[in-house]
Amino acid sequence: LTDFYRIDTLLTEDECEVRDRVRSWSRERIAPRAADYWERGEFQADRVLELGELGVAGGTIAGYGCPGISAAAYGLASQELAYADSSFTTFFGVHSGLAMGSIARFGTEEQKARWLPTMARCETIGAFALTEPDHGSDAAHLETTATPVDGGLLVNGGKRWIGNGDNFGVAVLWVQTPEGVAPFLFEPDTPGFTRTPMLGKIAKRAVTNVEMRFTDCFVPESNRMPVTGFRNVAEILRVTRHHVSWAALGEAIACYEAALEHAQRRMQFGKPIGAFQLVQAKLVEMATEITKAQLLSLQLSRLLDAGQATAGMTAMAKANNSKIARDCARLAREVLGGDGILHQRDVMRHLVDIEAVYTFEGTWDINRLIVGRELTGLSAFS
Ligand SMILES: Cc1cc2nc3c(=O)[nH]c(=O)nc-3n(C[C@H](O)[C@H](O)[C@H](O)COP(=O)(O)OP(=O)(O)OC[C@H]3O[C@@H](n4cnc5c(N)ncnc54)[C@H](O)[C@@H]3O)c2cc1C
């Protein structure tokens, strides 16, 4: 894989082993079917248990059957999955990062012991339900409510864009309570719950997103996670944006490598097109941005492991890497000429999939505002 600055020398043996393990599996088991499943708008569901056997779900979480690997190893696993297929990586990010991460961070001992071991094996699939029809970036002002009743709470409202929403065993559901925004563990067989797949997606077609409706859904008190406040949403996103930064990198590298290979092979005017200065300039721009993004994500991983990564730091890496991935995909598409729009060359699929990466877990603008707040001490949000 592209490694112009020998970033490999900064990794431990264990980190390289995790990366190589995920690389072999995803190239053999995910990549060959990615285009076909994307075109049909279908998720590679029969690969989920195999992913569980790979031993990376749960990432840095220690105990409860989770791998407890370093942040860099986890990031590299996301990078490798994304190199193979962006949609499958979103399944992984939602399940492992957002859902398992929230349970590990906010759950009670009982909740962690009940859910994390089967989730680590990918026998139970996780979802993370935050976004609402009227609250995307502005997730602090959720309108889905949980009203206290005898023995638990009644949930009413709706969610939108929820990944893994069609096949989850447990969802981390964020709602307004009288005390503020709080997470609940929500099970799909709850009476009053309905969901509708979101159709017409032209990005991330091989992973499902659903709209959810909750009508007087009873959630027992034991499913309440013992934290309150929007700062907890910000806290989980602080961590998960780190692996989105690595995943975006995986897509950027896939596009760059496709362009490089094409530039070395495709003959025009009696020469490989890679011999032309204008084509080289595009390849150099991609390789430079990828190298900078690799260093950003790796240092961010080290800071996370040391407990020093701030929200601004992870927001910066997520925004930067999804932006450079978007730029690399566009440049790679250009270098491939007409072939660039063919499914067989993967680049166009990455190009449209990255549009979603650029927007979820905080848009480019929102992540820059998080960095801006940290730099200035002044918040642009109300
Ligand atoms: C494929 C996909 C998967 C997703 N999966 C999940 C999931 O599993 N769970 C979940 O809860 N959500 C999920 N989401 C939702 C995602 O997090 C939101 O789409 C995202 O937060 C942006 O919200 P929005 O789409 O409502 O855009 P909006 O918030 O309406 O933003 C529209 C535009 O306005 C800009 N904007 C908004 N506010 C400001 C501001 N203050 N200053 C400057 N610009 C601003 C934004 O940057 C953006 O360009 C997913 C989305 C997609 C596309």
Side-chain angles (χ1 to χ4, degrees):
L1 206 72
T2 299
D3 185 9
F4 198 62
Y5 264 32
R6 302 188 182 172
I7 288 158
D8 256 18
T9 60
L10 303 174
L11 303 175
T12 65
E13 262 179 44
D14 285 351
E15 288 165 349
C16 291
E17 187 280 318
V18 171
R19 180 201 56 197
D20 295 345
R21 193 186 333 148
V22 178
R23 180 177 298 174
S24 323
W25 179 77
S26 56
R27 299 228 182 148
E28 198 182 309
R29 305 292 289 167
I30 295 294
R33 309 194 307 186
D36 184 38
Y37 275 68
W38 192 98
E39 198 152 39
R40 287 190 281 120
E42 213 179 294
F43 174 57
Q44 299 198 44
D46 57 340
R47 297 291 191 250
V48 169
L49 287 175
E50 289 182 32
L51 176 73
E53 285 165 19
L54 260 191
V56 287
T60 56
I61 303 168
Y64 308 98
C66 296
I69 53 181
S70 74
Y74 190 41
L76 287 159
S78 301
Q79 170 191 280
E80 293 303 323
L81 285 176
Y83 184 100
D85 182 30
S86 185
S87 295
F88 200 83
T89 312
T90 292
F91 157 77
F92 180 67
V94 170
H95 168 72
S96 172
L98 289 164
M100 293 180 74
S102 298
I103 295 171
R105 205 160 279 264
F106 309 127
T108 62
E109 268 314 307
E110 282 100 324
Q111 290 166 347
K112 290 191 246 191
R114 175 168 176 208
W115 294 108
L116 290 177
T118 59
M119 292 176 88
R121 296 194 295 273
C122 294
E123 291 163 9
T124 305
I125 293 175
F128 182 88
L130 173 68
T131 305
E132 298 184 350
D134 294 330
H135 297 277
S137 300
D138 179 20
H141 300 101
L142 298 178
E143 290 179 47
T144 299
T145 55
T147 313
V149 291
D150 205 17
L153 297 105
L154 281 188
V155 176
N156 280 286
K159 295 284 173 185
R160 189 157 185 256
W161 280 118
I162 307 309
N164 307 344
D166 62 333
N167 55 0
F168 72 92
V170 65
V172 175
L173 172 65
W174 296 88
V175 295
Q176 274 305 345
T177 69
E179 298 82 38
V181 171
F184 288 80
L185 292 165
F186 187 82
E187 296 172 58
D189 55 1
T190 307
F193 171 61
T194 55
R195 52 191 151 180
T196 318
M198 294 181 68
L199 304 176
K201 285 192 298 170
I202 303 173
K204 299 274 185 187
R205 285 181 51 75
V207 64
T208 314
N209 294 90
V210 307
E211 295 210 43
M212 297 177 158
R213 288 301 311 165
F214 306 90
T215 309
D216 286 338
C217 289
F218 177 77
V219 178
E221 191 59 42
S222 57
N223 280 18
R224 183 179 191 142
M225 299 165 91
V227 292
T228 311
F230 183 73
R231 67 177 179 284
N232 299 299
V233 175
E235 171 56 13
I236 189 67
L237 293 173
R238 179 184 68 88
V239 179
T240 57
R241 284 179 183 136
H242 155 261
H243 47 95
V244 179
S245 82
W246 280 103
L249 196 43
E251 297 201 59
I253 294 171
C255 293
Y256 164 72
E257 290 186 354
L260 179 64
E261 188 272 332
H262 189 78
Q264 288 167 327
R265 193 176 43 78
R266 173 73 174 162
M267 301 291 289
Q268 288 294 288
F269 301 98
K271 291 184 193 174
I273 59 167
F276 297 117
Q277 292 172 1
L278 292 173
V279 174
Q280 283 190 10
K282 289 172 191 172
L283 295 170
V284 171
E285 189 178 334
M286 287 185 247
T288 306
E289 292 306 323
I290 286 168
T291 304
K292 283 152 63 181
Q294 284 171 320
L295 290 166
L296 197 63
S297 283
L298 183 59
Q299 173 62 359
L300 177 64
S301 301
R302 300 300 182 225
L303 289 166
L304 261 181
D305 282 342
Q308 292 175 17
T310 64
M313 290 175 188
T314 57
M316 181 185 278
K318 192 274 175 183
N320 179 75
N321 292 11
S322 51
K323 166 87 164 58
I324 72 104
R326 193 192 206 199
D327 295 342
C328 287
R330 185 178 44 76
L331 286 172
R333 215 289 307 146
E334 273 178 44
V335 171
L336 265 75
D339 279 6
I341 72 161
L342 292 175
H343 245 323
Q344 299 89 294
R345 304 308 303 272
D346 296 328
V347 167
M348 193 76 188
R349 195 180 75 246
H350 282 298
L351 198 155
V352 288
D353 285 343
I354 289 162
E355 287 300 318
V357 179
Y358 189 75
T359 288
F360 62 42
E361 299 208 24
T363 65
W364 155 253
D365 300 303
I366 294 300
N367 277 302
R368 285 193 308 158
L369 293 176
I370 292 168
V371 181
R373 183 177 57 194
E374 211 163 290
L375 296 178
T376 62
L378 303 167
S379 176
F381 307 110
S382 55

